[in-house]
Amino acid sequence: MSPFQLTRTLAADAAGADLRADVLHGLNRSPKELPPKWFYDARGSDLFEEITRLPEYYPTRAEREILVERAPEIAAATGARTLVELGSGSSEKTRFLIDALLPGLDSYVPVDVSESALTGAAESLLAERPELRVHALVADFTRGLALPGTPGPRLVAFLGGTIGNLLPVERSTFLRSVRAMLTPGDALLLGTDLVKDEATLTAAYDDAAGVTAAFNKNVLSVIDRELGADFDPDAFDHVAVWDREREWIEMRLRARRALTVKIPELDLVVPFAAGEEMRTEVSAKFRQAGVRAELAEAGLDLDRWWTDSGGRFALSLATAR
């Protein structure tokens, strides 16, 4: 059997159909909004990689610190023979887990909407670890997921604090769908950014070099390219706001002047008032008690909780009942 398999569960035109639906729905709302997944075309992915190296953006470094220190402990606690990673991307941080789980690890199952990211990561991993088997899934994990028939116990990893991009009702649905993938004794490793002082949080999403601003505005370029729209990114300002009540950061785009955007693919004309803001991302921050409660509601028990040395970020290990 080949050490690399790839299964596609997304239709070839699924991304285009989803983009059209999200833009039509989001720009007809009041206030307007767009989901953050449309940041990540090739340029957006490159910009995000640049963001992770910025001095203000601590989550990537903090999570890596935990993984480097705790991967052997995670491996010992789970004994996983299959590692599933949701939203795997380049699988860079996952290498610490894979190496800790080997030689008992049978299969790595990366899940991502980008086939090129999956194949690139698999080639790199297998070149360094020929004993590993990789079964990649081109899939949207937010829609539920059927995993391949790999051996248990399974460890599902959802890293990077990406769960914070989901609204509370979406998080509940997502965690229940993860629980449905698992059998008792399987585990979830969840990355969550933690509540901290407002200055640190807002700086992480509004860096001095303007990289996050370019990343935020890139969603407009995606819509222009894919749907024939005439957004002018320079007509919008990047805004990052801490919502104390909901304990999340909101990224927004604020119209510098009154303007009208035409989107021919949708037969849509969208007016913006001067100063009108459109939400492009929510990034929730968490506390241990809240994470425990959300996991419990989904049928998962929080067993281990690790933070980096600065207490900025946490990895939770939860087992399926």
Side-chain angles (χ1 to χ4, degrees):
M1 180 182 294
S2 168
F4 177 61
Q5 293 177 266
L6 186 138
T7 301
R8 299 175 185 84
T9 65
L10 282 178
D13 63 344
D18 284 354
L19 176 63
R20 289 190 292 272
D22 286 344
V23 171
L24 187 63
H25 174 72
L27 296 188
N28 278 310
R29 288 175 57 89
S30 182
K32 299 178 179 69
E33 64 180 22
L34 293 169
K37 65 182 179 180
W38 301 116
F39 289 137
Y40 297 97
D41 64 349
R43 179 170 183 267
S45 296
D46 288 343
L47 285 168
F48 184 72
E49 286 300 313
E50 189 175 345
I51 287 169
T52 65
R53 296 188 292 268
L54 293 169
E56 297 97 330
Y57 194 80
Y58 60 85
T60 302
R61 292 188 298 276
E63 185 177 49
R64 183 188 299 273
E65 178 190 320
I66 304 168
L67 285 168
V68 169
E69 183 176 351
R70 301 296 185 176
E73 197 174 336
I74 295 165
T78 61
R81 295 190 64 205
T82 295
L83 172 63
V84 180
E85 185 178 10
L86 306 179
S88 55
S90 66
S91 302
E92 183 182 352
K93 288 180 293 188
T94 323
R95 286 162 166 76
F96 301 114
L97 281 176
I98 290 171
D99 289 341
L101 288 164
L102 287 171
L105 184 66
D106 178 89
S107 300
Y108 172 51
V109 182
V111 182
D112 204 278
V113 296
S114 170
E115 183 172 337
S116 61
L118 289 168
T119 54
E123 288 171 2
S124 174
L125 284 168
L126 290 170
E128 300 166 358
R129 302 160 183 83
E131 70 274 34
L132 186 65
R133 291 198 298 174
V134 178
H135 190 147
L137 299 181
V138 183
D140 182 349
F141 60 79
T142 64
R143 298 181 173 182
L145 196 63
L147 296 178
T150 53
R154 288 170 166 169
L155 173 62
V156 174
F158 191 39
L159 304 176
T162 308
I163 194 167
N165 296 147
L166 304 177
L167 296 173
V169 65
E170 295 169 335
R171 291 202 302 267
S172 177
T173 300
F174 167 74
L175 288 171
R176 288 180 183 276
S177 73
V178 170
R179 173 61 187 88
M181 299 178 203
L182 306 177
T183 58
D186 290 346
L188 167 67
L189 184 67
L190 180 66
T192 49
D193 196 9
L194 301 179
V195 174
K196 56 187 67 67
D197 67 281
E198 181 174 348
T200 299
L201 287 166
T202 52
Y205 293 84
D206 193 9
D207 60 278
V211 182
T212 310
F215 175 70
N216 193 7
K217 293 182 183 185
N218 187 60
V219 72
L220 305 180
S221 299
V222 171
I223 296 171
D224 284 352
R225 182 184 66 245
E226 300 297 329
L227 301 181
D230 61 355
F231 273 109
D232 175 8
D234 291 335
F236 291 83
D237 287 321
H238 164 70
V239 180
V241 178
W242 171 241
D243 186 320
R244 293 182 183 85
E245 181 180 347
R246 296 183 175 93
E247 295 192 324
W248 68 41
I249 287 279
E250 284 195 9
M251 291 211 317
R252 306 171 185 168
L253 290 170
R254 177 187 295 151
R256 292 180 173 177
R257 54 180 171 78
L259 56 91
T260 301
V261 175
K262 300 180 181 66
I263 309 179
E265 286 282 329
L266 301 177
D267 193 24
L268 185 64
V269 176
V270 185
F272 284 84
E276 183 178 354
E277 294 181 345
M278 172 172 61
R279 187 170 76 186
T280 53
E281 182 178 85
V282 162
S283 186
K285 309 305 170 187
F286 296 87
R287 302 176 188 270
Q288 183 176 1
V291 172
R292 183 186 300 276
E294 291 193 35
L295 290 169
E297 183 187 9
L300 296 159
D301 294 323
L302 178 60
D303 289 339
R304 309 285 180 92
W305 172 271
W306 300 285
T307 68
D308 65 293
S309 57
R312 300 167 296 177
F313 197 94
L315 284 182
S316 305
L317 186 66
T319 51
R321 295 188 203 126

Coordinates of all heavy atoms in Angstrom, one line a residue, residues 139-202:
A139 N -11.4 18.3 2.5 CA -12.7 18.3 3.1 C -12.9 19.6 3.9 O -11.9 20.2 4.3 CB -13.0 17.1 4.0
D140 N -14.1 20.0 4.1 CA -14.5 21.1 5.0 C -15.0 20.5 6.3 O -16.1 20.0 6.4 CB -15.6 21.9 4.3 CG -16.0 23.1 5.2 OD1 -15.5 23.2 6.3 OD2 -16.7 24.0 4.6
F141 N -14.1 20.5 7.3 CA -14.4 19.8 8.6 C -15.6 20.5 9.3 O -16.2 19.9 10.2 CB -13.2 19.8 9.5 CG -12.6 21.1 9.8 CD1 -13.2 21.9 10.8 CD2 -11.5 21.6 9.2 CE1 -12.7 23.1 11.2 CE2 -11.0 22.8 9.6 CZ -11.5 23.6 10.6
T142 N -16.0 21.7 8.9 CA -17.1 22.3 9.6 C -18.5 21.7 9.1 O -19.5 22.0 9.7 CB -17.2 23.8 9.3 OG1 -17.4 24.1 7.9 CG2 -15.9 24.5 9.8
R143 N -18.4 20.9 8.1 CA -19.6 20.2 7.6 C -19.8 18.8 8.1 O -20.7 18.1 7.6 CB -19.6 20.2 6.1 CG -19.6 21.6 5.5 CD -19.6 21.5 4.0 NE -19.7 22.8 3.3 CZ -19.8 22.9 2.0 NH1 -19.7 21.9 1.2 NH2 -19.9 24.1 1.5
G144 N -19.0 18.4 9.1 CA -19.0 17.0 9.5 C -18.1 16.2 8.6 O -17.7 16.6 7.5
L145 N -17.6 15.1 9.1 CA -16.5 14.4 8.5 C -16.6 12.9 8.8 O -16.9 12.5 9.9 CB -15.2 15.0 9.1 CG -13.9 14.7 8.3 CD1 -14.0 15.4 7.0 CD2 -12.8 15.3 9.2
A146 N -16.4 12.2 7.7 CA -16.3 10.7 7.9 C -14.8 10.4 7.8 O -14.2 10.6 6.7 CB -17.1 10.0 6.8
L147 N -14.2 9.8 8.8 CA -12.8 9.5 8.8 C -12.5 8.2 8.2 O -13.4 7.3 8.2 CB -12.3 9.5 10.3 CG -12.3 10.8 11.0 CD1 -11.9 10.6 12.5 CD2 -11.5 11.9 10.3
P148 N -11.3 8.0 7.6 CA -11.0 6.7 7.0 C -10.8 5.6 8.1 O -10.7 5.9 9.2 CB -9.7 7.0 6.3 CG -9.1 8.2 7.0 CD -10.3 9.0 7.4
G149 N -10.8 4.4 7.6 CA -10.8 3.3 8.6 C -9.4 3.0 9.1 O -8.8 1.9 8.8
T150 N -8.8 4.0 9.8 CA -7.5 3.8 10.4 C -7.7 3.3 11.8 O -8.7 3.5 12.5 CB -6.8 5.1 10.4 OG1 -7.6 6.1 11.0 CG2 -6.4 5.5 9.0
P151 N -6.6 2.7 12.4 CA -6.7 2.1 13.7 C -6.8 3.1 14.8 O -6.3 4.2 14.8 CB -5.5 1.2 13.8 CG -4.5 1.9 12.9 CD -5.3 2.4 11.8
G152 N -7.5 2.7 15.9 CA -7.5 3.5 17.1 C -6.5 3.0 18.1 O -5.8 2.0 17.9
P153 N -6.4 3.8 19.2 CA -7.1 5.0 19.5 C -6.7 6.2 18.6 O -5.6 6.2 18.1 CB -6.7 5.3 21.0 CG -5.5 4.5 21.2 CD -5.5 3.4 20.3
R154 N -7.6 7.1 18.5 CA -7.4 8.3 17.6 C -7.3 9.5 18.5 O -7.9 9.7 19.5 CB -8.6 8.5 16.7 CG -8.8 7.4 15.6 CD -10.1 7.6 14.9 NE -10.1 6.9 13.6 CZ -11.2 6.6 12.9 NH1 -12.4 7.1 13.3 NH2 -11.2 6.0 11.8
L155 N -6.4 10.4 18.0 CA -6.2 11.7 18.6 C -6.6 12.7 17.5 O -5.9 12.7 16.4 CB -4.8 11.9 19.1 CG -4.4 13.3 19.5 CD1 -5.3 13.8 20.7 CD2 -3.0 13.4 19.9
V156 N -7.6 13.5 17.7 CA -8.0 14.6 16.8 C -7.4 15.9 17.3 O -7.6 16.3 18.4 CB -9.5 14.7 16.6 CG1 -9.9 16.0 15.8 CG2 -10.1 13.5 16.0
A157 N -6.6 16.6 16.5 CA -5.9 17.8 16.8 C -6.6 19.0 16.1 O -6.7 18.9 14.9 CB -4.4 17.8 16.5
F158 N -6.9 20.0 16.8 CA -7.5 21.3 16.2 C -6.7 22.4 16.9 O -7.0 22.8 18.0 CB -9.0 21.4 16.5 CG -9.6 22.5 15.7 CD1 -9.3 22.7 14.4 CD2 -10.6 23.2 16.3 CE1 -9.9 23.7 13.7 CE2 -11.3 24.2 15.6 CZ -10.9 24.5 14.3
L159 N -5.6 22.8 16.2 CA -4.6 23.7 16.8 C -4.8 25.1 16.3 O -5.7 25.5 15.6 CB -3.2 23.2 16.5 CG -2.9 21.7 16.9 CD1 -1.6 21.3 16.4 CD2 -3.1 21.6 18.4
G160 N -3.9 26.0 16.9 CA -3.9 27.4 16.4 C -4.9 28.3 16.9 O -4.9 29.5 16.5
G161 N -5.8 27.9 17.8 CA -6.8 28.8 18.3 C -7.9 29.0 17.3 O -8.7 29.9 17.5
T162 N -7.9 28.2 16.2 CA -8.9 28.4 15.1 C -10.3 28.3 15.6 O -11.3 28.9 15.1 CB -8.7 27.5 14.0 OG1 -7.3 27.6 13.6 CG2 -9.5 27.8 12.8
I163 N -10.6 27.5 16.7 CA -11.9 27.4 17.2 C -12.5 28.7 17.6 O -13.7 28.9 17.6 CB -12.0 26.4 18.4 CG1 -13.4 26.0 18.7 CG2 -11.3 26.9 19.6 CD1 -13.6 24.8 19.6
G164 N -11.6 29.7 17.9 CA -12.1 31.0 18.3 C -12.7 31.8 17.2 O -13.4 32.8 17.4
N165 N -12.5 31.3 15.9 CA -13.2 32.0 14.8 C -14.6 31.6 14.6 O -15.3 32.2 13.8 CB -12.4 31.7 13.5 CG -11.0 32.2 13.4 OD1 -10.1 31.6 12.9 ND2 -10.8 33.3 14.1
L166 N -15.1 30.6 15.4 CA -16.5 30.2 15.4 C -17.3 30.9 16.4 O -16.8 31.1 17.6 CB -16.5 28.7 15.6 CG -15.7 27.8 14.6 CD1 -15.9 26.3 15.0 CD2 -16.2 28.0 13.2
L167 N -18.5 31.3 16.1 CA -19.4 31.9 17.1 C -19.8 30.8 18.0 O -19.7 29.6 17.7 CB -20.6 32.5 16.4 CG -20.3 33.6 15.4 CD1 -21.5 34.1 14.6 CD2 -19.7 34.8 16.2
P168 N -20.3 31.1 19.2 CA -20.7 30.1 20.2 C -21.5 29.0 19.7 O -21.3 27.8 20.0 CB -21.4 30.9 21.3 CG -20.7 32.3 21.3 CD -20.4 32.5 19.8
V169 N -22.6 29.3 19.0 CA -23.5 28.2 18.5 C -22.7 27.3 17.5 O -22.9 26.1 17.4 CB -24.8 28.8 17.9 CG1 -24.5 29.6 16.6 CG2 -25.8 27.7 17.6
E170 N -21.8 28.0 16.7 CA -21.0 27.2 15.7 C -20.0 26.3 16.5 O -19.8 25.2 16.0 CB -20.3 28.1 14.8 CG -21.2 28.9 13.9 CD -20.5 30.1 13.1 OE1 -19.5 30.5 13.6 OE2 -21.0 30.5 12.1
R171 N -19.5 26.8 17.5 CA -18.5 26.0 18.3 C -19.2 24.8 18.9 O -18.7 23.7 18.9 CB -17.9 26.8 19.5 CG -17.0 27.9 19.0 CD -16.0 28.3 20.2 NE -16.7 28.7 21.4 CZ -16.9 30.0 21.6 NH1 -16.6 31.0 20.8 NH2 -17.5 30.4 22.8
S172 N -20.4 25.0 19.4 CA -21.2 23.8 20.0 C -21.4 22.8 18.9 O -21.2 21.6 19.1 CB -22.5 24.4 20.5 OG -23.3 23.3 21.0
T173 N -21.9 23.2 17.7 CA -22.1 22.3 16.6 C -20.8 21.6 16.2 O -20.8 20.3 16.0 CB -22.7 23.0 15.4 OG1 -23.9 23.6 15.8 CG2 -22.9 22.1 14.3
F174 N -19.7 22.3 16.1 CA -18.5 21.8 15.7 C -18.0 20.7 16.7 O -17.6 19.6 16.4 CB -17.4 22.9 15.6 CG -16.0 22.3 15.5 CD1 -15.6 21.7 14.3 CD2 -15.2 22.4 16.6 CE1 -14.3 21.2 14.2 CE2 -13.9 22.0 16.5 CZ -13.4 21.4 15.3
L175 N -18.0 21.0 18.0 CA -17.5 20.1 19.0 C -18.4 18.8 19.1 O -17.8 17.7 19.3 CB -17.5 20.8 20.4 CG -16.4 21.8 20.6 CD1 -16.6 22.6 21.9 CD2 -15.0 21.2 20.5
R176 N -19.6 19.0 18.8 CA -20.5 17.8 18.8 C -20.1 16.9 17.6 O -20.2 15.7 17.6 CB -22.0 18.2 18.7 CG -22.5 18.7 20.1 CD -24.0 19.1 20.0 NE -24.4 19.7 21.2 CZ -24.8 19.0 22.3 NH1 -24.8 17.6 22.2 NH2 -25.2 19.6 23.4
S177 N -19.8 17.6 16.5 CA -19.4 16.8 15.3 C -18.1 16.1 15.5 O -17.9 15.0 15.0 CB -19.3 17.7 14.0 OG -18.2 18.5 14.1
V178 N -17.2 16.7 16.2 CA -15.9 16.0 16.6 C -16.2 14.8 17.4 O -15.6 13.7 17.2 CB -14.9 17.0 17.2 CG1 -13.7 16.3 17.8 CG2 -14.5 18.1 16.3
R179 N -17.0 15.0 18.4 CA -17.4 13.9 19.3 C -18.0 12.7 18.5 O -17.7 11.6 18.8 CB -18.3 14.4 20.4 CG -18.9 13.2 21.3 CD -17.8 12.5 22.0 NE -18.2 11.4 22.8 CZ -18.3 10.1 22.3 NH1 -18.0 9.9 21.0 NH2 -18.7 9.1 23.0
A180 N -18.7 13.1 17.5 CA -19.4 12.0 16.7 C -18.3 11.2 15.9 O -18.6 10.0 15.5 CB -20.4 12.6 15.7
M181 N -17.1 11.8 15.7 CA -16.1 11.0 15.0 C -15.4 10.0 15.9 O -14.7 9.1 15.4 CB -15.0 12.0 14.5 CG -15.3 13.1 13.6 SD -13.8 14.0 13.3 CE -14.5 15.6 12.8
L182 N -15.5 10.2 17.2 CA -14.7 9.5 18.1 C -15.4 8.3 18.8 O -16.7 8.3 18.9 CB -14.2 10.5 19.2 CG -13.5 11.7 18.7 CD1 -13.1 12.6 19.9 CD2 -12.3 11.4 17.9
T183 N -14.7 7.4 19.3 CA -15.2 6.3 20.1 C -14.7 6.5 21.5 O -13.7 7.2 21.7 CB -14.8 4.9 19.6 OG1 -13.4 4.9 19.5 CG2 -15.4 4.7 18.2
P184 N -15.3 6.0 22.6 CA -14.8 6.2 23.9 C -13.3 5.8 24.0 O -12.9 4.8 23.6 CB -15.7 5.3 24.7 CG -17.0 5.2 24.0 CD -16.6 5.2 22.5
G185 N -12.6 6.7 24.7 CA -11.2 6.6 24.8 C -10.4 7.3 23.8 O -9.2 7.6 24.0
D186 N -11.0 7.7 22.6 CA -10.3 8.6 21.7 C -10.2 10.0 22.3 O -10.9 10.3 23.3 CB -11.1 8.7 20.4 CG -11.0 7.4 19.6 OD1 -10.2 6.6 19.9 OD2 -11.8 7.3 18.6
A187 N -9.4 10.9 21.8 CA -9.2 12.2 22.4 C -9.1 13.3 21.4 O -8.9 13.1 20.2 CB -7.9 12.1 23.2
L188 N -9.4 14.5 21.9 CA -9.3 15.8 21.2 C -8.2 16.6 21.8 O -8.2 16.8 23.0 CB -10.6 16.5 21.2 CG -10.6 18.0 20.7 CD1 -10.3 18.1 19.2 CD2 -11.9 18.7 21.0
L189 N -7.3 17.1 21.0 CA -6.3 18.1 21.5 C -6.7 19.5 20.9 O -6.7 19.6 19.6 CB -4.9 17.7 21.0 CG -3.7 18.6 21.5 CD1 -3.6 18.5 23.0 CD2 -2.4 18.3 20.8
L190 N -7.0 20.4 21.7 CA -7.6 21.7 21.3 C -6.8 22.8 21.7 O -6.4 23.0 22.9 CB -9.0 21.8 21.9 CG -9.8 23.1 21.6 CD1 -10.2 23.1 20.1 CD2 -11.1 23.1 22.5
G191 N -6.4 23.7 20.7 CA -5.7 24.9 21.0 C -6.6 26.1 21.2 O -7.5 26.3 20.4
T192 N -6.4 26.8 22.3 CA -7.3 28.0 22.6 C -6.4 29.2 23.1 O -5.6 29.0 24.0 CB -8.4 27.7 23.7 OG1 -7.7 27.1 24.8 CG2 -9.5 26.8 23.1
D193 N -6.6 30.3 22.5 CA -6.0 31.6 23.0 C -6.8 32.0 24.2 O -8.0 31.9 24.3 CB -6.0 32.6 21.9 CG -5.1 33.8 22.2 OD1 -4.3 33.7 23.1 OD2 -5.1 34.8 21.4
L194 N -6.0 32.6 25.2 CA -6.6 32.9 26.5 C -6.9 34.4 26.6 O -6.2 35.2 26.0 CB -5.7 32.4 27.6 CG -5.4 30.9 27.6 CD1 -4.5 30.5 28.7 CD2 -6.7 30.1 27.6
V195 N -7.9 34.7 27.5 CA -8.2 36.1 27.8 C -7.0 36.7 28.5 O -6.3 36.1 29.3 CB -9.4 36.1 28.7 CG1 -9.7 37.6 29.2 CG2 -10.7 35.6 28.0
K196 N -6.6 37.9 28.1 CA -5.5 38.6 28.7 C -5.8 40.1 28.5 O -6.9 40.5 28.1 CB -4.2 38.2 28.0 CG -4.2 38.4 26.5 CD -3.0 37.8 25.9 CE -2.9 36.3 26.0 NZ -3.9 35.6 25.2
D197 N -4.8 40.9 28.8 CA -5.0 42.4 28.7 C -5.3 42.9 27.3 O -4.8 42.3 26.3 CB -3.8 43.1 29.3 CG -2.5 43.0 28.4 OD1 -1.9 41.9 28.5 OD2 -2.3 43.9 27.6
E198 N -6.1 43.9 27.3 CA -6.6 44.4 26.0 C -5.5 44.9 25.1 O -5.5 44.6 23.8 CB -7.6 45.5 26.2 CG -8.2 46.1 25.0 CD -9.3 47.1 25.3 OE1 -9.7 47.2 26.4 OE2 -9.7 47.8 24.3
A199 N -4.5 45.5 25.6 CA -3.4 46.0 24.8 C -2.7 44.9 24.0 O -2.4 45.0 22.8 CB -2.4 46.8 25.6
T200 N -2.4 43.8 24.7 CA -1.7 42.7 24.1 C -2.6 42.1 23.0 O -2.1 41.7 21.9 CB -1.4 41.6 25.1 OG1 -0.5 42.2 26.1 CG2 -0.7 40.4 24.5
L201 N -3.9 41.9 23.3 CA -4.8 41.3 22.3 C -4.9 42.2 21.1 O -4.8 41.7 19.9 CB -6.1 41.1 23.0 CG -6.2 40.0 24.0 CD1 -7.5 40.0 24.8 CD2 -6.1 38.6 23.2
T202 N -5.2 43.5 21.2 CA -5.4 44.3 20.1 C -4.1 44.5 19.2 O -4.2 44.5 18.0 CB -6.0 45.7 20.5 OG1 -5.1 46.3 21.4 CG2 -7.4 45.6 21.0

